[in-house]
Amino acid sequence: MLRISGGKVYDPANGLDGVIKDICVDDSGRIVDSVDGGRTIDATGMIVFPGGVDVHTHVAGGAINFARAMTPEDHRRVQAFIRTKSRRSGLGGMAPTTFATGYLYAGMGFTTVNEAAVPVLSARHTHEELADIPIVDKASLTLMANNEILLDQLEQGEYERAKHVVAWYIWAAKSYGIKAVNPGGVTAWKWGRDAKQLTDSIEGYSRLTPGSIITSLAAICEDLKLPHPIHLHCNNLGAPGNISTTLDTLKHLEGRRAHIAHSQYHAYGGDDWDTMCSETKQLAEYFNTHKNVTTDAGAVLFGDTVTITADGPWQHLLYKLTGRKWGNLDVENETGCGIVPYTYRPSNLVNAVQWASGLELLLLIKDPWQVFLSTDHPNGGCFWRYPEIIQLLMCADFRKECVAKLPDKIKDRISLPEIDREYTLYEIATAMSAGPARALGLHRKGNLGIGCDADIVIYEEDADVVRMFGHPRYVVKNGEIVIEEGDIRETPNGREFIVRPPAPPDLDDFLRPLFEECYTMSFENYPVELDRIEHPHLLDLNDWSCRRDRCQPPQSGSGRFTIGNGRRASKAVEKEFGRPLCRPRDSHCLSQRWKLAPLFLQCSRLLNPVPQGIRDFFDIGRRIAWRDVLRHHFAIGNQIGQCDKPTVHQKPSEEAANGRNPIEYDSGSPPRQ
């Protein structure tokens, strides 16, 4: 049990704006009215937020691994997280490895992440890596807008069959929802083409258009009652003048709910690269008048990164424009992937417009429940740089200092110099936690109400915004203190949220011959087995949290039960999934919570170093002070080489030893406000 007393609580889900109150947590990791006994944290003078939620990131699976493989130079210049008996090794930098990803997210106060692009064909690999990421809970989205079996059904006008196919694929991938990337464009790329116009037929089809794919998938998400609406990467990403395509895309939604991914990359005017300018005012005005859509900004930060996307045509164009390394993958009948390392420079007109556009959208969209903090990690910048974005949102004077250093020719192409708005702490809590949690349909996240998950972050109140949000005093995950006084104390395993939309039982008979004709993998081996998901959390699509009217959860009690070993568990699992519960494979150290000894590492070059010109441009050595931030996160020391003997596999947990693979269900009612 835990009590957090005396802190200023910012809880937008319940309308608390700096209210001084106690937060109590019971032994099950839920927030309750009160507790007797247990530890008390005196948070007097501190800021209490719900744990951060990243609605759009790329942290696991084939694409990010491809990026890691293509950037060995980054591995050489960053310092590793050094392995100890109780902590895993890893690398920071542009594409942090799995264990480092969990440490770095928690080190900023983030407790939930959404992996935004998963091909079903490589979903097993993605789940393996998600299981490796400690502390944070996860969700994932299945790529569907270029799946040829689905597109064939839409071409033939078979909407109901298409809906059932989508439901089957979501469950086959054991994912949480649908991601649509450049609808029809990746399919056309297999013919060496793209799909830039929403009303033009897609290469290889006679009637199917990108616009009809968008409309159909948005409707399918609603008909299947998915907790998260269509997660849409629009056509014509990154190109001058693409604002017209973006606005046309929004009209094709026909008033349905949708989430527009990394909208900064879809808000440009101009006719070519020399005339490119920001058109965020038009896009922000649409959002301000249409409450059915949300977005993550996909903000850009100057410096080195690596771009990864399923939008193969765009990555090939970026390779042509930059001459940098380029990699491309074709994921059979489903999607594709492109990788290009990139450096954003303030002296580059296009990069400066991109930097300004992300901030403009965050500032011009009036409702922070509609626009969320993101960099489309790692595309616009690495997620561990989020405190820099928060500083730019909260400090207008600092923002103007940065704008003043941009070349004069750029300033008349952006709107940022005209904007004086500054985010409040309440708005930051909305954009980084409560808003993205609601958009994902995870109402026990980003919420400090009774019955919610006890994911809590406590910051020291500090005029230095980067220092404040870069190194929280405490981070509580599911009721367990994982960071205390800047040190990682515990690394619990996070859960994976999955859904199972209904599909007719005879759909297998329809799909099997298509697989035999098109896929290199057999139909039986294609779906991800449930027992490969280490800590699944299955959401009931008929529950309150998956209805359209999810803005104000009803007031009621809450309940949850866990299926473990024994006859009751076996019967419940067999009834739900049509087969008995299997023993999990290779469940060793990942299913047991282990204490971390102090995290020793050399900090001098842990993260991707900023080029000197860009360091001078923003005086990052003084203002950003990442070394100081990390020094507060972790206990720093020169302990490299202390672990001479390799660490053997940790012993299996009691659950694993007993052959359990617990499946956690939501049962009953939502949290009370």
Side-chain angles (χ1 to χ4, degrees), residues 269-270 274-279 281 349 352-353 356 360 403-404 406-418:
D274 293 332
T275 61
M276 181 172 165
C277 62
S278 167
E279 287 291 350
K281 286 184 177 180
L349 183 149
V353 168
E360 288 169 6
V403 171
L406 295 172
D408 291 336
K409 65 179 180 179
I410 293 171
K411 295 174 185 176
D412 61 352
R413 299 170 185 255
I414 60 177
S415 302
L416 195 58
E418 309 165 11

Side-chain angles (χ1 to χ4, degrees), residues 250-266:
L250 293 167
K251 293 174 184 176
H252 274 79
L253 293 171
E254 300 176 348
R256 294 184 176 90
R257 294 177 60 245
H259 179 86
I260 306 302
H262 40 67
S263 52
Q264 174 276 131
Y265 289 107
H266 303 281

Side-chain angles (χ1 to χ4, degrees), residues 22 33 42 68 107 111 144 153 181 317-318 378 465 528 581 616:
D22 290 0
D33 284 315
D42 183 3
R68 291 167 184 145
T111 54
M144 287 304 304
Q153 305 313 305
V181 173
L317 176 60
L318 188 61
V465 175
V528 177
L581 183 63
D616 294 341

Side-chain angles (χ1 to χ4, degrees), residues 231-258:
H231 196 101
L232 181 56
H233 162 139
C234 300
N235 299 69
N236 216 10
L237 173 138
N242 66 6
I243 184 63
S244 60
T245 305
T246 305
L247 294 174
D248 194 16
T249 298
L250 293 167
K251 293 174 184 176
H252 274 79
L253 293 171
E254 300 176 348
R256 294 184 176 90
R257 294 177 60 245

